[in-house]
Amino acid sequence: MESPVSSTIKLSALCIAIASAFSSPVIAEENTSHFDEVVVWGTKVSSNTESIIADDMSLKQADHMSDLLREIPGVDVGGTHSVNQRITIRGLSETDLDIRLDGASQHANMFHHIGNLTLNPDILKSADIQVGNNSVTQNGLGGSVLFETKDAKDLLRYDERFGARVYGGYATNASQQGSLTVYGLLSDNVDAMLYSHYMSRDDFKDGDGNETFGSEGDVYNILGKIGFEPSDLHRFELAYDLYRDSGDYSPRPDMSGGANESLSNDILIPTDYDRDTVTASYELRGDTHQGDVTLYNTQTEIKRDETVMAPRWPSNRLSKNTANNQNFGVNAKFQSDYRLMSFDNVATYGFDYMDKSSSSYYGSSKFMDESAISTALFVEDQFYFTQAFSITAGVRFDDYQRKAETGNDDFDDVTWSIATQWDVTQDWTLFASTRSLFKGPELMETFIAYQDAAYLADDIKAETGQNTQGGVRFDKRIDDHFVGANLTVFQTNIDDYIAEEYQRASQSYLIYNLGDVEIKGFEASLSYGYEMFNSKLSYARSDTKNKDTGGAVAGGNGRSIDMGDSITLTLDYQSEALETIFGWNSMFVKDEDNVFDGQPIKEGYDVHNLYAQWVPSTVDGLSVTFGVDNVFDEQYTSHASRSGTARGFTLDDFEPGRNYKLSAAYQF
């Protein structure tokens, strides 16, 4: 039970932010827009499937990764529970993607009822998304998501040497959050930041007004950074990121509250989901040579007291159980500009090394201990035939050494990529790329007691394939008008797709090569801006099929990985007179009927959000944001979330219904 003191702190977070704002007003300088003066706290989101960058995502008041990423064509985020955020790109899940936080790999295969992503969207500076794997500089079958957190240099304004920011937010359905950030220059070349964030989640109501079950808990995040810049050319940084998620949670967080109650009555499991990340990095900022090196260690741990599940669960699970996943690695990526035979070139080169290990304990006994070492070397060169036309070619070597309960295996491959870009005019650009793919078999799920009954097929092969895509980009500015457009058409072939199947006769799990998989489709976006008005319309489509059967392809939960067609519209207007930014976002997702026989379709949905952010010129550093998510109380499930039926129960992980959000931030 929550203490009265803790409850008071959480309920007062918003009041603190607002009160602090009005305690020391500062008049903005004359002849300068107050919108330009306020520090944008939100996340800058960029993608190769859009024509423009979203510069300020603070308007979203993000408390879940879906608030930031779901509008990106080709990207979806499933899971409504705090421990179940899952990013998908073109239907490929997080284990098929290269996801990094400040250079540290977030790769894991923790538990099929829980996601691998333990990130706080509030502190993110940027999210760079590559939809599709188009370069040898990245791994993963489906693309990459590179998250970067803020540091002191990002937050200091004007000629400040020190600063602070206080933030509080309240959502009616159903969360409260607050943060405090202090930052500054310890000397002319040393900067530091300390960020602390706290969120309390309650059981939310879905679009039909049904209260979910087993999502009430607390999340807090502490991030400390110190940076050293001996000159403008070099930067060294040391960071520690602590993330804690704790609560009495439903046994299956990827399913709806109703499904959990039906399957396990009202039993909740005391759960802790923790992450600790330490990074040491170096950045080179030369005119002709740039790059960075990151040394990291990420440890993720799940602890669940499953003694409460008696007699519903097997006796071997009725204990305080723990799973650990650790990634230790170093990666380097550099870029050099040079001339060859009077032609301009840009060379990108580097390496990626990661030693990942996972172990689980049931009670005090170690149940499983696995590890894998992946090593990669890559180089690519962009050759400019003219200033407008270039060809990029690259090669990569991967070695993957797997030491698992199912056996020791070594997989390696040489992959390649080639791409071209032609700036036909100042406004029009044509682009195309093709990239061969490679991925070895995953380690077993860390938090599950089936490793002793799981088997790799004797003839198991690594997944390989080819991603090919191309398109056109248009950007045009005429006086106060801006028009941007992007069209990307793609086809991804994955050979020897790896799947898992339960063998009833032997009561075991077989991990084997299912066959070949094809994913094809397109992403299109159109942007228009005039003076203070901006708009963006996007359409994404991907179709997946098993090339041997012509039917659907199953994900980890047994459902089709197809995401369905999605259409997104965003409108916003910046009023100088009212000192307010107004916005509207709509997302329409069509039914997805490429499912397995006997399973229900993934039902489409139509969701609308609105928001307004007030930035008064009379109080420098203050912003107050109001929003309504799911304005019309739509009952829906993301196609990237759990859906379908089991034992006669609906499993759909329904998204929250109408949710009013209010937050305030003051930077001083």
Side-chain angles (χ1 to χ4, degrees):
M1 183 175 177
E2 186 178 63
S3 71
V5 174
S6 177
S7 178
T8 302
I9 291 173
K10 290 183 290 182
L11 289 173
S12 5
L14 178 62
C15 299
I16 292 172
I18 295 175
S20 300
F22 287 102
S23 64
S24 55
V26 178
I27 307 299
E29 294 181 20
E30 293 183 2
N31 303 320
T32 304
S33 169
H34 59 280
F35 287 108
D36 297 330
E37 294 292 340
V38 68
V39 169
V40 175
W41 179 262
T43 305
K44 182 172 71 175
V45 179
S46 57
S47 164
N48 60 319
T49 57
E50 291 191 303
S51 58
I52 62 172
I53 295 174
D55 289 320
D56 185 5
M57 299 297 283
S58 65
L59 299 166
K60 306 295 184 181
Q61 303 180 81
D63 58 13
H64 193 279
M65 205 58 65
S66 62
D67 296 329
L68 291 181
L69 305 184
R70 194 170 282 173
E71 298 173 20
I72 304 299
V75 180
D76 201 352
V77 179
T80 64
H81 202 290
S82 65
V83 300
N84 194 38
Q85 302 181 88
R86 300 175 186 265
I87 300 174
T88 65
I89 294 180
R90 295 173 178 169
L92 296 174
S93 64
E94 51 195 355
T95 55
D96 291 323
L97 308 177
D98 186 8
I99 301 176
R100 298 180 183 259
L101 177 63
D102 290 333
S105 174
Q106 302 301 293
H107 189 92
N109 189 23
M110 296 296 289
F111 185 33
H112 62 277
H113 288 305
I114 291 176
N116 300 321
L117 198 62
T118 51
L119 296 181
N120 170 21
D122 180 62
I123 190 57
L124 295 177
K125 172 186 177 182
S126 64
D128 180 17
I129 305 166
Q130 289 298 307
V131 180
N133 191 338
N134 309 299
S135 169
V136 295
T137 62
Q138 66 183 64
N139 65 28
L141 297 176
S144 65
V145 185
L146 307 180
F147 295 107
E148 183 181 355
T149 58
K150 301 175 178 68
D151 59 39
K153 286 293 189 74
D154 300 318
L155 303 177
L156 288 168
R157 305 176 299 165
Y158 323 125
D159 295 324
E160 291 178 334
R161 293 191 64 85
F162 294 95
R165 179 184 185 266
V166 61
Y167 166 83
Y170 174 77
T172 60
N173 192 25
S175 65
Q176 308 155 78
Q177 59 179 313
S179 69
L180 174 65
T181 312
V182 293
Y183 48 89
L185 298 176
L186 304 184
S187 70
D188 289 341
N189 50 15
V190 178
D191 58 89
M193 182 195 75
L194 181 63
Y195 165 85
S196 60
H197 179 269
Y198 183 84
M199 172 173 285
S200 174
R201 299 180 186 270
D202 301 317
D203 291 332
F204 62 83
K205 292 182 178 179
D206 62 26
D208 280 349
N210 302 311
E211 187 172 273
T212 193
F213 172 78
S215 60
E216 182 178 351
D218 302 315
V219 179
Y220 65 91
N221 179 209
I222 298 174
L223 173 64
K225 287 188 176 184
I226 185 168
F228 171 58
E229 298 184 4
S231 68
D232 293 338
L233 189 63
H234 307 283
R235 177 175 175 83
F236 300 87
E237 187 173 272
L238 181 65
Y240 174 57
D241 191 348
L242 176 148
Y243 182 95
R244 299 288 184 267
D245 189 340
S246 179
D248 291 340
Y249 290 152
S250 55
R252 307 163 187 85
D254 64 331
M255 298 181 184
S256 67
N260 274 280
E261 286 187 297
S262 299
L263 294 169
S264 306
N265 290 332
D266 59 352
I267 300 175
L268 296 175
I269 298 178
T271 302
D272 294 295
Y273 198 11
D274 304 333
R275 175 181 56 82
D276 295 87
T277 300
V278 179
T279 58
S281 61
Y282 164 72
E283 182 181 2
L284 175 65
R285 305 166 173 171
D287 292 331
T288 58
H289 303 284
Q290 310 89 37
D292 53 73
V293 181
T294 302
L295 174 68
Y296 64 88
N297 185 76
T298 295
Q299 184 162 334
T300 308
E301 183 179 61
I302 300 175
K303 293 181 288 187
R304 303 214 310 177
D305 183 0
E306 299 185 338
T307 58
V308 298
M309 297 302 297
R312 293 181 171 272
W313 283 12
S315 59
N316 68 329
R317 294 196 67 98
L318 300 178
S319 57
K320 295 181 179 180
N321 303 322
T322 303
N324 286 280
N325 188 94
Q326 183 175 11
N327 295 336
F328 172 81
V330 59
N331 56 74
K333 181 180 177 181
F334 288 90
Q335 181 176 293
S336 298
D337 302 340
Y338 68 98
R339 291 185 64 82
L340 179 65
M341 297 183 295
S342 70
F343 293 98
D344 290 332
N345 287 256
V346 179
T348 304
Y349 47 94
F351 67 90
D352 192 4
Y353 170 87
M354 181 173 65
D355 184 348
K356 58 182 178 181
S357 59
S358 62
S359 60
S360 59
Y361 292 79
Y362 291 86
S364 57
S365 302
K366 180 176 282 190
F367 187 85
M368 185 271 292
D369 191 356
E370 298 188 322
S371 66
I373 295 176
S374 57
T375 307
L377 300 170
F378 57 85
V379 60
E380 70 176 19
D381 185 77
Q382 185 173 13
F383 185 90
Y384 286 87
F385 289 90
T386 69
Q387 290 186 337
F389 179 73
S390 67
I391 290 180
T392 303
V395 63
R396 178 185 178 105
F397 171 74
D398 283 275
D399 181 73
Y400 179 69
Q401 300 176 24
R402 185 177 184 273
K403 299 179 180 179
E405 299 293 322
T406 54
N408 299 336
D409 299 274
D410 191 358
F411 303 88
D412 59 73
D413 200 4
V414 176
T415 56
W416 56 271
S417 67
I418 188 168
T420 184
Q421 180 169 302
W422 179 26
D423 297 328
V424 182
T425 68
Q426 189 176 2
D427 309 320
W428 290 92
T429 299
L430 299 177
F431 57 88
S433 66
T434 187
R435 159 82 157 99
S436 61
L437 307 173
F438 165 81
K439 181 176 180 289
E442 287 287 331
L443 298 177
M444 300 292 100
E445 287 182 47
T446 308
F447 192 87
I448 195 167
Y450 80 155
Q451 285 87 352
D452 57 346
Y455 303 91
L456 242 62
D458 292 336
D459 58 349
I460 192 79
K461 301 176 183 176
E463 294 170 301
T464 56
Q466 196 82 25
N467 179 61
T468 302
Q469 59 188 60
V472 58
R473 185 179 300 111
F474 174 77
D475 294 285
K476 182 73 171 180
R477 184 174 294 277
I478 304 175
D479 297 327
D480 293 330
H481 298 268
F482 170 82
V483 178
N486 190 98
L487 172 64
T488 302
V489 180
F490 70 90
Q491 178 170 316
T492 304
N493 293 307
I494 302 174
D495 302 328
D496 301 313
Y497 186 83
I498 295 176
E500 179 184 295
E501 184 176 278
Y502 181 64
Q503 310 290 299
R504 294 190 178 277
S506 59
Q507 296 186 334
S508 62
Y509 294 86
L510 176 65
I511 300 166
Y512 69 108
N513 296 116
L514 173 69
D516 299 339
V517 169
E518 177 188 86
I519 309 171
K520 63 180 181 181
F522 66 87
E523 294 101 13
S525 68
L526 176 65
S527 303
Y528 171 73
Y530 174 68
E531 293 184 342
M532 298 299 180
F533 171 77
N534 290 285
S535 62
K536 183 185 72 174
L537 176 67
S538 65
Y539 193 123
R541 177 188 180 100
S542 66
D543 295 301
T544 305
K545 70 175 182 179
N546 183 322
K547 295 172 71 172
D548 296 328
T549 66
V553 178
N557 58 18
R559 289 281 271 163
S560 165
I561 66 174
D562 266 314
M563 291 293 103
D565 294 16
S566 64
I567 302 170
T568 302
L569 173 65
T570 300
L571 308 171
D572 68 70
Y573 177 73
Q574 181 175 300
S575 172
E576 290 280 358
L578 299 176
E579 303 180 329
T580 303
I581 303 171
F582 301 93
W584 178 278
N585 169 259
S586 298
M587 173 173 282
F588 173 71
V589 179
K590 296 175 62 177
D591 291 345
E592 178 53 66
D593 58 7
N594 185 28
V595 296
F596 293 97
D597 292 342
Q599 292 188 355
I601 66 170
K602 295 182 179 180
E603 294 185 358
Y605 53 90
D606 186 12
V607 180
H608 305 267
N609 307 318
L610 60 85
Y611 46 85
Q613 187 173 75
W614 179 52
V615 186
S617 58
T618 55
V619 187
D620 185 31
L622 172 68
S623 63
V624 179
T625 308
F626 171 76
V628 186
D629 291 350
N630 197 356
V631 174
F632 300 111
D633 232 7
E634 176 86 352
Q635 175 79 327
Y636 74 103
T637 302
S638 164
H639 288 178
S641 296
R642 188 67 173 263
S643 61
T645 59
R647 305 182 203 173
F649 303 118
T650 299
L651 307 180
D652 288 46
D653 186 11
F654 293 114
E655 297 278 336
R658 186 182 298 113
N659 190 15
Y660 297 93
K661 294 180 175 180
L662 179 64
S663 64
Y666 180 56
Q667 188 165 351
F668 56 94

